[in-house]
Amino acid sequence: MANTNPARGMRDFLPADVRKRNYVIGIIKEVYESYGFEPLETPSVENLDTLMGKYGEEGNQLIFKILKRGEKLRDARQETGDESTPSDISSLQSQVSSLSDLALRYDLTVPLARVVANNKNDLPKFFKRYQIQPVWRADRPARGRFREFYQCDVDAIGSSSRVVEAELISAVTQILTRLGFNDFVIRLNHRKVLADILDTAGVPADKHGDALVVIDKLDKIGQDGVRAELESRGIPNSASEMLLNIFEQTQKIVDEGKDVNRTIVSNLINIVSNEVLTEIGDILRFAGDCPIQLDPSLARGLSYYTGAIVEINVPDLAGSLAGGGRYDGLIGMFGKEQIPACGLSIGLERILVVMDERKMFDKPIAEGKLKLDSADVMVTMLGEESAAESLKLANELRRQGLRVTVYPEADKLSKQMKYADSIKVPFVCVLGESEIADGTVTLKNMKTGEQNAYPRVEIASKITK
Amino acid sequence: MANTNPARGMRDFLPADVRKRNYVIGIIKEVYESYGFEPLETPSVENLDTLMGKYGEEGNQLIFKILKRGEKLRDARQETGDESTPSDISSLQSQVSSLSDLALRYDLTVPLARVVANNKNDLPKFFKRYQIQPVWRADRPARGRFREFYQCDVDAIGSSSRVVEAELISAVTQILTRLGFNDFVIRLNHRKVLADILDTAGVPADKHGDALVVIDKLDKIGQDGVRAELESRGIPNSASEMLLNIFEQTQKIVDEGKDVNRTIVSNLINIVSNEVLTEIGDILRFAGDCPIQLDPSLARGLSYYTGAIVEINVPDLAGSLAGGGRYDGLIGMFGKEQIPACGLSIGLERILVVMDERKMFDKPIAEGKLKLDSADVMVTMLGEESAAESLKLANELRRQGLRVTVYPEADKLSKQMKYADSIKVPFVCVLGESEIADGTVTLKNMKTGEQNAYPRVEIASKITK
């Protein structure tokens, strides 16, 4: 018998799953639209060259590559076939590009940069777009980590004003609030704050990249882990100690919980340039009602960030619900022009995991905003003769706005009721010969068991009520 | 400079494109839901084994295959590296499966069959699902033929009743009608009608598959083309002539246009079994108000169909808008059990092409059902000092249900107006120092050029009106 599981790390979404996902996506879209962001969609498949080298060495390896086809593959095999059989991964890596010309999208930011460079003359000066599509990473699957997952990105292209950061943070705050989250924290930092801290601590300029990668893991591996890994990357112990000391001071301020952002800023005055502190101040002022907390230790993994960086967390999730930042250099990698850009990305599956665990869907279900049932009513089919009449009744009810399913074949009424139960429809219309004859329908309420005959024209209103 | 085009045969969808697509998808979903179909989503990536052998030899070649990763790829290369360099496609094909373990979804029907087999105990006895997702085919790109395109499938699993065919046809009819199509024809045939015709014409049973592939091309290559290709596949000339003669008679009946379906059925009485003619009669009766036309020459390419087959056409499109049929054997290829199934698939891009060419989006735009503009209103930003106030006004308007964009940086008013024009917002709110001081906003109607100051609380209602 064939393997019927989805591919490793991928998932099938049965109807109730899809409905929950669509409910969340619906709110995300609505809020993004209310901020004047416009929808963009890009292909799942990109030229391999577009993606390679944009996500660091690890990213390169996690990109799903597509095999060349037909003639192109034959040519590639003839070329590489002459070489000796590769015996190690690195020599193999160099051959991957001869076997593959396409790849699956790894995030939504690089495709956006490509689209902006490609459509410069057709896009407005400030291009505000949202994009909700899947991405693929050949990561080792784990709890909550999938090989196909949705990102819900929102980006503003063309302005370096801090109003952009504030509007993005405000939009995502609005989304999380509307979904029912009330305990999330928006951690805010700035790549230049980190650079100034690293300089002050004595980390050599050419080790900043290394240091950021390590600091990004602080939550996971702790102070000792960071200390060890910084050392292994050749960063002096004195610098590590000073770095960790600065971060520890911040944590104390957070723990004390009084006037946190102002205290952190005043602590940074001797380390960070005034210009950057003003930038941060502007963002805090413009996004005044969002739960922002400065966090000088926030690093974010990706290398393309150049300014403010953001991560949104809730206490009961190890990873973040959303994150992003300013990347003023990425679009220039595709076009002639440097164009400033800033964006945030919401991780759909993480939102869903937390909402499911916290039973946060109960409320929209109770309010009728999220329907998990398959239809509003089922119409029975009691005989081959009455089939056409059942279909006609169904269409009448549909025209009145109801979702109607028809039992598809003549069968015992008890079996049809059992099926109606299994698909959780709240009402069943029984249409037998006597009902057809006198223009009535017997309506059964599946919750109460109550059952009454009504004139056919009144049925829809009885169900809606 | 980097190549910024999307990959060959793939497309970026800019905001107006996405909005049109979402408008069509919205109607498709709404109608499918109204018939009691439930949403399903499956991964874009399937195990290669799941897809191979399901679409015929040509299909196998058009499947995008994903390269194995890391260790698995190294092992594969070591294995195949020992063989001589492949010099022809066929020997190469046999090696593809050692280099690749995954593939991109080729249609939505095979994944559905896999899901049904995999979730047999969790799904209702009759599983009615719709699925609107992209599929990928490594076809040669051409006008209207893309390598990534959306299918909008609707399938009913578990019943062999003709009510199923009728409901599917009725749902798709409803969709096309609601989109504004009024000249489509639903061509209906039955694989057993074709089998009986082939038998009658004298095509040997083992050549039926070949004959269907050729007949499927009748529209494209004409009678002479079919005659030649049937001969090249070893089908006797006498059989070809008889076949083409039967199809020609049908065409005459269609051209005469009187009582077409009944005349065709009575013409088939001596060729086709009563049972099958009854089936067709039931479908015609149950889907009474749909524009169905019997077409005994309709073949459909895919090999998995077993019963009724359907194709929906409009005069100004060479291909079909939708198609499908009954496939009672496919699910059994994945599970222990044979489960009857029937489905239709709407081709989203074809719908869009015809709707664009016929300017069918003008009506929903005029009715306000499809909005192509980026926001309802833009708020200006006249100085760094008033930035926070502009953002506050924007949030006030958003809370009243408007889509609001904010000009992100302090700039000359004339430049801001030019930008507002470029993104086609119908209104602009000017918020200068004087307006802030006296609690008003100057509202400019971008169509009429009219401009007036109003109390801030009245702005939303002025825009909505």
Side-chain angles (χ1 to χ4, degrees):
Chain A
M1 215 172 70
N3 172 17
T4 59
N5 289 315
R8 183 164 174 256
M10 315 252 175
R11 292 162 298 163
D12 295 320
F13 297 111
L14 298 186
D17 302 318
V18 179
R19 289 184 196 280
K20 285 180 188 172
R21 296 171 72 83
N22 285 347
Y23 168 77
V24 173
I25 288 173
I27 286 180
I28 294 175
K29 275 186 184 176
E30 211 179 297
V31 174
Y32 284 162
E33 289 270 347
S34 81
Y35 279 77
F37 291 93
E38 298 196 86
L40 176 79
E41 293 188 0
T42 64
S44 306
V45 174
E46 291 278 355
N47 288 315
L48 187 59
D49 293 344
T50 301
L51 305 188
M52 292 301 275
K54 305 301 187 302
Y55 309 104
E57 186 44 49
E58 201 196 335
N60 281 349
Q61 286 181 31
L62 297 184
I63 292 170
F64 278 108
K65 286 122 194 143
I66 293 174
L67 202 59
K68 285 184 182 172
R69 293 146 304 283
E71 303 267 348
K72 281 170 90 182
L73 179 59
R74 186 190 54 189
D75 296 347
R77 293 282 288 156
Q78 279 176 334
E79 262 170 47
T80 65
D82 293 342
E83 297 167 27
S84 64
T85 303
S87 55
D88 62 287
I89 297 286
S90 71
S91 83
L92 185 70
Q93 286 294 339
S94 72
Q95 294 186 28
V96 162
S97 67
S98 73
L99 291 172
S100 165
D101 53 351
L102 299 170
L104 290 183
R105 183 169 54 208
Y106 185 84
D107 74 355
L108 304 178
T109 310
V110 168
L112 170 65
R114 178 185 61 67
V115 167
V116 170
N118 200 41
N119 296 273
K120 227 176 52 68
N121 300 326
D122 301 322
L123 295 178
K125 188 169 76 166
F126 307 116
F127 181 46
K128 296 171 67 176
R129 87 88 174 77
Y130 69 90
Q131 187 170 355
I132 301 172
Q133 289 195 288
V135 302
W136 295 267
R137 297 183 185 176
D139 228 327
R140 191 184 299 269
R143 197 184 115 74
R145 196 203 291 146
F146 305 102
R147 294 181 142 198
E148 173 179 74
F149 57 97
Y150 270 67
Q151 293 191 329
C152 311
D153 277 28
V154 64
D155 293 76
I157 312 291
S159 173
S160 48
S161 161
R162 279 79 63 206
V163 165
V164 167
E165 278 86 344
E167 285 262 277
L168 293 168
I169 290 170
S170 171
V172 175
T173 297
Q174 181 65 18
I175 287 167
L176 293 175
T177 305
R178 283 204 37 199
L179 289 173
F181 288 92
N182 53 18
D183 59 348
F184 59 95
V185 173
I186 301 164
R187 291 156 69 209
L188 173 68
N189 198 13
H190 196 293
R191 274 285 163 97
K192 286 183 186 149
V193 168
L194 281 166
D196 286 345
I197 290 177
L198 292 173
D199 281 340
T200 304
V203 176
D206 64 334
K207 295 281 182 189
H208 277 201
D210 276 335
L212 288 184
V213 171
V214 181
I215 294 170
D216 189 42
K217 300 183 192 164
L218 183 56
D219 283 351
K220 280 177 225 152
I221 62 177
Q223 290 205 0
D224 289 343
V226 166
R227 207 174 272 124
E229 199 167 326
L230 285 174
E231 186 169 9
S232 79
R233 291 186 185 233
I235 288 163
N237 274 329
S238 58
S240 303
E241 287 312 319
M242 187 149 174
L243 255 182
L244 288 168
N245 187 27
I246 293 172
F247 296 155
E248 218 177 348
Q249 279 176 39
T250 312
Q251 192 50 50
K252 262 191 205 148
I253 298 169
V254 172
D255 290 344
E256 280 165 14
K258 261 192 283 177
D259 212 0
V260 173
N261 289 337
R262 238 172 42 148
T263 316
I264 290 176
V265 168
S266 58
N267 255 33
L268 291 175
I269 277 176
N270 294 321
I271 301 174
V272 177
S273 78
N274 260 330
E275 199 195 330
V276 173
L277 289 181
T278 306
E279 254 190 59
I280 289 176
D282 280 348
I283 297 172
L284 289 171
R285 191 159 53 91
F286 293 152
D289 44 3
C290 302
I292 300 177
Q293 191 167 90
L294 289 186
D295 182 352
S297 73
L298 175 68
R300 304 272 308 150
L302 288 172
S303 53
Y304 53 56
Y305 293 118
T306 56
I309 45 180
V310 170
E311 222 168 86
I312 304 184
N313 299 85
V314 284
D316 47 344
L317 185 81
S320 55
L321 289 184
R326 179 168 282 285
Y327 50 98
D328 287 346
L330 186 62
I331 297 171
M333 293 173 75
F334 289 99
K336 277 183 216 153
E337 220 177 313
Q338 287 296 354
I339 299 177
C342 186
L344 293 181
S345 178
I346 300 178
L348 182 65
E349 347 296 303
R350 287 170 175 193
I351 298 271
L352 286 160
V353 162
V354 179
M355 287 185 71
D356 256 329
E357 282 179 3
R358 295 186 180 180
K359 303 196 186 305
M360 287 167 69
F361 288 111
D362 290 356
K363 193 162 171 257
I365 290 171
E367 289 169 346
K369 288 174 186 163
L370 168 60
K371 289 184 179 182
L372 296 186
D373 49 12
S374 66
D376 300 316
V377 57
M378 185 189 95
V379 175
T380 61
M381 187 163 297
L382 295 180
E384 283 288 328
E385 321 70 44
S386 62
E389 206 57 41
S390 291
L391 292 172
K392 215 176 125 195
L393 172 62
N395 280 333
E396 287 165 20
L397 298 176
R398 284 172 192 141
R399 273 196 290 275
Q400 292 171 84
L402 291 174
R403 298 175 302 148
V404 188
T405 196
V406 178
Y407 195 88
E409 43 195 52
D411 210 338
K412 278 186 201 159
L413 188 56
S414 60
K415 271 196 166 178
Q416 301 195 34
M417 287 299 176
K418 207 178 135 195
Y419 171 72
D421 248 346
S422 79
I423 60 166
K424 298 191 187 71
V425 282
F427 291 94
V428 171
C429 285
V430 181
L431 191 70
E433 277 175 48
S434 65
E435 280 95 350
I436 295 173
D438 62 8
T440 62
V441 172
T442 299
L443 184 67
K444 178 166 182 177
N445 182 323
M446 297 298 285
K447 250 190 193 155
T448 63
E450 208 185 334
Q451 135 168 6
N452 286 101
Y454 298 101
R456 193 148 152 173
V457 290
E458 288 176 20
I459 289 296
S461 64
K462 296 284 173 202
I463 293 170
T464 315
K465 205 188 58 184
Chain B
M1 215 172 68
N3 172 16
T4 59
N5 289 315
R8 182 162 174 257
M10 315 254 175
R11 292 162 299 162
D12 296 318
F13 297 112
L14 298 185
D17 302 318
V18 179
R19 290 183 195 281
K20 285 180 188 172
R21 294 171 73 82
N22 285 347
Y23 168 78
V24 173
I25 288 172
I27 286 179
I28 294 174
K29 276 187 183 175
E30 210 180 297
V31 174
Y32 284 163
E33 288 270 347
S34 81
Y35 278 77
F37 291 93
E38 297 197 86
L40 176 78
E41 293 187 0
T42 64
S44 306
V45 174
E46 291 278 354
N47 287 315
L48 186 59
D49 293 345
T50 301
L51 305 189
M52 293 300 277
K54 305 301 187 302
Y55 308 104
E57 187 45 47
E58 201 196 335
N60 281 350
Q61 287 182 31
L62 297 184
I63 293 170
F64 278 108
K65 287 121 193 145
I66 293 174
L67 202 59
K68 286 183 181 172
R69 294 145 306 281
E71 303 268 346
K72 281 170 91 181
L73 180 59
R74 187 190 53 190
D75 296 348
R77 293 282 287 157
Q78 279 176 334
E79 262 170 48
T80 63
D82 293 342
E83 296 167 27
S84 64
T85 302
S87 56
D88 64 287
I89 297 286
S90 71
S91 85
L92 185 69
Q93 286 292 341
S94 72
Q95 293 186 27
V96 162
S97 67
S98 74
L99 290 173
S100 166
D101 53 351
L102 299 170
L104 290 183
R105 181 169 57 208
Y106 185 85
D107 75 354
L108 303 179
T109 309
V110 168
L112 170 65
R114 178 186 60 69
V115 167
V116 170
N118 200 41
N119 296 272
K120 228 176 52 68
N121 299 326
D122 301 321
L123 295 178
K125 186 169 78 168
F126 306 117
F127 181 45
K128 296 171 68 176
R129 87 88 174 80
Y130 68 90
Q131 186 170 356
I132 302 173
Q133 289 194 290
V135 302
W136 295 267
R137 297 184 185 175
D139 227 327
R140 190 183 300 271
R143 197 184 115 75
R145 196 204 291 146
F146 304 102
R147 294 180 142 198
E148 172 180 75
F149 56 98
Y150 270 67
Q151 292 190 330
C152 310
D153 277 29
V154 63
D155 293 77
I157 312 291
S159 172
S160 49
S161 160
R162 277 80 63 207
V163 165
V164 167
E165 277 86 343
E167 285 263 275
L168 292 168
I169 290 170
S170 171
V172 175
T173 297
Q174 181 66 19
I175 287 167
L176 293 175
T177 305
R178 282 208 35 202
L179 288 173
F181 288 93
N182 52 20
D183 59 348
F184 60 95
V185 173
I186 302 164
R187 292 156 68 208
L188 173 69
N189 198 14
H190 196 294
R191 274 284 164 99
K192 286 182 187 150
V193 168
L194 280 167
D196 286 344
I197 290 177
L198 292 173
D199 282 340
T200 304
V203 175
D206 64 335
K207 295 281 183 191
H208 276 201
D210 278 333
L212 287 185
V213 171
V214 180
I215 294 169
D216 188 41
K217 302 184 193 165
L218 183 55
D219 284 349
K220 280 176 225 151
I221 62 178
Q223 290 205 359
D224 289 343
V226 166
R227 206 173 274 123
E229 198 167 326
L230 285 174
E231 185 167 11
S232 78
R233 292 187 184 235
I235 289 163
N237 274 330
S238 58
S240 304
E241 287 312 319
M242 187 149 175
L243 255 183
L244 288 168
N245 187 27
I246 293 172
F247 296 153
E248 217 175 350
Q249 278 174 41
T250 313
Q251 193 50 51
K252 261 190 206 146
I253 298 168
V254 172
D255 292 342
E256 280 165 15
K258 260 191 283 179
D259 213 0
V260 174
N261 289 335
R262 235 172 47 148
T263 316
I264 291 175
V265 168
S266 58
N267 256 34
L268 291 175
I269 278 174
N270 295 324
I271 301 174
V272 177
S273 77
N274 260 331
E275 198 195 332
V276 173
L277 288 181
T278 307
E279 255 190 60
I280 289 176
D282 280 348
I283 297 173
L284 289 171
R285 190 160 53 91
F286 293 152
D289 43 4
C290 302
I292 300 177
Q293 191 167 89
L294 288 186
D295 181 353
S297 72
L298 176 68
R300 302 273 309 151
L302 288 171
S303 53
Y304 53 56
Y305 293 116
T306 56
I309 46 180
V310 170
E311 222 168 86
I312 304 184
N313 299 84
V314 285
D316 47 345
L317 185 81
S320 55
L321 290 183
R326 179 167 283 284
Y327 51 97
D328 286 347
L330 187 61
I331 298 171
M333 293 174 74
F334 289 98
K336 277 183 216 154
E337 219 177 313
Q338 286 297 354
I339 300 177
C342 185
L344 293 181
S345 178
I346 300 178
L348 182 64
E349 346 298 302
R350 287 169 176 193
I351 298 271
L352 285 161
V353 161
V354 179
M355 287 185 70
D356 256 330
E357 283 179 1
R358 295 185 182 183
K359 303 194 186 306
M360 287 166 69
F361 288 110
D362 290 355
K363 192 161 171 260
I365 290 171
E367 289 169 346
K369 288 175 188 164
L370 168 59
K371 288 184 182 183
L372 297 185
D373 49 13
S374 65
D376 300 317
V377 57
M378 185 189 95
V379 175
T380 61
M381 187 161 298
L382 295 180
E384 283 288 329
E385 320 71 42
S386 61
E389 205 58 39
S390 291
L391 293 171
K392 217 176 123 195
L393 172 63
N395 280 332
E396 286 166 22
L397 297 175
R398 283 171 192 143
R399 273 196 292 275
Q400 294 171 83
L402 292 174
R403 297 175 302 148
V404 188
T405 196
V406 179
Y407 195 88
E409 43 196 51
D411 210 338
K412 279 187 201 157
L413 187 57
S414 60
K415 271 195 164 179
Q416 301 195 35
M417 287 299 177
K418 208 177 134 192
Y419 172 72
D421 248 347
S422 79
I423 61 167
K424 298 192 187 75
V425 282
F427 290 95
V428 171
C429 285
V430 181
L431 192 69
E433 279 176 43
S434 64
E435 281 95 349
I436 296 174
D438 63 8
T440 62
V441 172
T442 299
L443 185 67
K444 179 165 180 175
N445 182 323
M446 297 298 284
K447 251 192 192 153
T448 64
E450 208 185 334
Q451 138 169 1
N452 286 101
Y454 298 102
R456 196 148 149 174
V457 292
E458 289 176 18
I459 290 295
S461 64
K462 296 285 172 199
I463 293 169
T464 315
K465 203 189 61 187

